[in-house]
Amino acid sequence: MEQRHLGSTGLRVSRIGLGTLTWGRNTGEHDAADQLKAFWEAGGTLIDTADVYSGGEAEYLLGRLVERLVPRDDLVIATKAGSVPDPDRRFDGSRGHLLQALDASLERLGTDYVDLWQIHAFDPETPLDETLHALDIAVTSGRARYAGVSNFCGWQLAKAATWQLASPGIRTRLASTQMEYSLLQRGVEREVLPAALDLGVGLLPSSPLGRGVLTGKYRHTTPPDSRGATDMAMFVEPYLDGAAGRIVDAVATAADGLATSPLAVALAWVRDRPGVAAPIVGARNARQLTEALSVEGLSLPDEICRALNDVSAPVHRYPDQDWSTL
């Protein structure tokens, strides 16, 4: 699999990442092991997890599997900290909480360091410089090799990345930002992606298949084994409206013309967008993951990219539109 630099850093990652959101909950050890082995054998390196995925079970399972199946040095392990299971405070970006969470992640993962450590979300109750100082400590102490953020809006990312660049060699530059991005969710193109491109921050798209909707499996009904038929139905429902249906139909048409799957078309589109380092793909089993990995040999023709861009184009008005038209 092709490797890409993560932002303006020396860290190279596979251009498809493996997500572990459901590991330890909907994905058991056997299926997780099959996924990890298939991913590694395909040349995949980037594996994304978080301290809150399945209450820590995802990290624990990943650590056990790496010890048995895959050389640690062959992987780029990324995890996150900052989310808390507290209804009164969803995020905690304090230095104390973050560093304590990192140490707990390392213990569950069974490793001395993570390759990429990310702040899971912006915490408005903690000074941003305190949150970012935790990244500096993690890197200088050797517990993390690179640092990033997740779910930061445009101004938050720009402020954080600029702050880190203000003192080269003292502060750790941001390598990445992880955000939802797909043909069904192009909101990052308004401010986040321009900021990332300008500041040398690589984008790691989550939910690149539109929460599974872009695979086409919801076009006519809700499969009984899908997320839409479980307690995660609310996660899928926002992408089942008429506008989404038109985009899904366009993806299916493109797939028919290219003799491939809608999954491959949707994933190739987001993988090759400017500023994207590696979409993060989650799968229930190795068969689903193998289908996603087959996109490696696919490059979408320009005319198909233009058609998909047009049908999925988000509406950006003031202040993003051309002032000459006002």
Side-chain angles (χ1 to χ4, degrees):
M1 189 183 301
E2 181 181 321
Q3 305 288 305
R4 292 173 172 172
H5 284 282
L6 187 58
S8 297
T9 73
L11 178 61
R12 290 166 60 84
V13 298
S14 54
R15 62 177 182 168
I16 296 291
L18 174 60
T20 64
L21 175 64
T22 63
W23 284 25
R25 187 177 69 242
N26 304 115
T27 303
E29 182 168 352
H30 177 75
D31 283 331
D34 287 346
Q35 286 184 38
L36 179 60
K37 188 173 181 181
F39 184 67
W40 174 63
E41 290 176 344
T45 61
L46 176 63
I47 301 183
D48 179 75
T49 190
D51 62 344
V52 293
Y53 288 176
S54 302
E57 282 300 310
E59 287 183 329
Y60 182 62
L61 180 54
L62 175 59
R64 290 209 318 270
L65 293 178
V66 169
E67 183 179 10
R68 295 196 333 244
L69 298 176
V70 180
R72 170 66 181 89
D73 291 344
D74 286 0
L75 299 178
V76 175
I77 296 179
T79 194
K80 312 178 198 70
S83 292
V84 291
D86 182 349
D88 296 325
R89 186 178 187 185
R90 295 181 59 201
F91 309 113
D92 187 346
S94 66
R95 181 171 51 241
H97 170 80
L98 292 173
L99 293 174
Q100 184 179 36
L102 174 58
D103 289 338
S105 288
L106 293 176
E107 183 174 353
R108 284 189 294 267
L109 288 165
T111 183
D112 295 330
Y113 69 95
V114 290
D115 300 278
L116 176 65
W117 189 47
Q118 304 155 98
I119 305 301
H120 210 152
F122 184 83
D123 175 13
E125 298 182 23
T126 299
L128 181 59
D129 60 331
E130 178 181 336
T131 297
L132 296 173
H133 189 213
L135 297 179
D136 300 334
I137 293 173
V139 172
T140 55
S141 67
R143 287 177 277 179
R145 298 286 172 85
Y146 294 86
V149 296
S150 174
N151 299 306
F152 275 41
C153 71
W155 73 263
Q156 293 163 352
L157 173 64
K159 183 177 181 180
T162 301
W163 176 271
Q164 293 304 97
L165 289 171
S167 299
I170 298 175
R171 298 175 188 150
T172 299
R173 74 175 300 149
L174 296 185
S176 64
T177 181
Q178 187 170 149
M179 297 287 290
E180 185 170 349
Y181 187 27
S182 73
L183 279 162
L184 295 181
Q185 179 52 271
R186 295 177 61 182
V188 297
E189 294 177 4
R190 179 167 181 156
E191 291 186 338
V192 173
L193 192 51
L197 285 165
D198 185 68
L199 293 161
V201 178
L203 180 64
L204 299 173
S206 59
S207 295
L209 299 175
R211 306 182 183 184
V213 175
L214 287 166
T215 64
K217 62 185 176 183
Y218 296 101
R219 289 180 78 189
H220 306 297
T221 186
T222 298
D225 62 343
S226 67
R227 285 180 177 176
T230 69
D231 57 359
M232 296 186 71
M234 293 180 62
F235 181 72
V236 177
E237 285 172 359
Y239 292 160
L240 297 178
D241 61 10
R246 290 188 289 275
I247 297 170
V248 173
D249 287 345
V251 170
T253 299
D256 288 342
L258 295 172
T260 188
S261 67
L263 180 155
V265 170
L267 188 55
W269 180 87
V270 71
R271 180 199 64 195
D272 295 334
R273 296 294 287 173
V276 168
I280 306 299
V281 176
R284 290 197 310 274
N285 51 53
R287 179 188 58 78
Q288 284 188 342
L289 178 62
T290 299
E291 183 180 0
L293 296 176
S294 68
V295 76
E296 179 65 19
L298 176 65
S299 294
L300 299 181
D302 290 343
E303 60 271 24
I304 287 182
C305 285
R306 286 194 295 269
L308 294 175
N309 291 345
D310 289 345
V311 74
S312 65
V315 177
H316 292 332
R317 296 192 175 95
Y318 181 86
D320 301 284
Q321 71 187 97
D322 184 350
W323 279 30
S324 66
T325 65
L326 298 178

